[in-house]
């Protein structure tokens, strides 16, 4: 996993990139749904994952006037971007 942050004008951006399995275009909107997981084999919960993390991050971002986005392709990993207003 790689992280990067930057500030452009009145916005702060945080990028998190992984080189995992990637997410197909038809599933990209689903990543924000509670309990949804891109890799069905993880749904047996051996790793303690419940599929709640991204839905929680998105809701917290919204509460702070921010937003989340995703860029991904199968077998190429994913980049999640958090965009927040810069506080003065």
């Amino acid at each position: 996993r790689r992280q990067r942050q930057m500030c452009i004008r009145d916005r702060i951006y945080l990028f998190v990139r992984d080189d995992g399995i990637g997410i197909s275009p038809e599933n990209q909107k689903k990543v924000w749904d509670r309990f949804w997981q891109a890799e069905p084999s993880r749904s047996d919960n051996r790793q303690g994952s419940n599929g709640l993390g991204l839905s929680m991050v998105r809701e917290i971002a919204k509460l702070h006037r921010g937003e989340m986005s995703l860029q991904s392709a199968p077998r190429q990993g994913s980049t999640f971007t958090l965009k927040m207003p810069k506080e003065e």
Side-chain angles (χ1 to χ4, degrees):
R1 242 176 222 184
R2 296 179 295 259
Q3 297 179 4
R4 180 174 58 126
Q5 65 184 35
M6 60 197 291
C7 185
I8 300 174
R9 292 183 223 145
D10 62 342
R11 295 275 184 200
I12 297 171
Y13 296 83
L14 172 65
F15 305 93
V16 178
R17 167 111 179 111
D18 71 35
D19 56 0
I21 63 170
I23 302 166
S24 65
E26 62 270 12
N27 285 329
Q28 289 184 16
K29 287 189 178 194
K30 295 177 185 177
V31 301
W32 311 111
D33 295 344
R34 291 180 189 169
F35 305 110
W36 189 85
Q37 295 180 340
E39 189 178 336
S41 65
R42 292 183 70 186
S43 64
D44 67 8
N45 207 18
R46 287 184 202 159
Q47 296 177 343
S49 176
N50 293 315
L52 290 171
L54 289 173
S55 65
M56 291 172 60
V57 168
R58 186 180 205 188
E59 290 303 312
I60 291 168
K62 285 180 183 180
L63 290 171
H64 293 278
R65 297 178 295 126
E67 57 189 79
M68 289 291 301
S69 63
L70 164 65
Q71 291 181 311
S72 186
R75 297 175 304 282
Q76 295 182 16
S78 304
T79 300
F80 293 89
T81 303
L82 170 63
K83 182 169 69 170
M84 298 289 290
K86 182 178 176 184
E87 298 291 327
E88 295 191 26

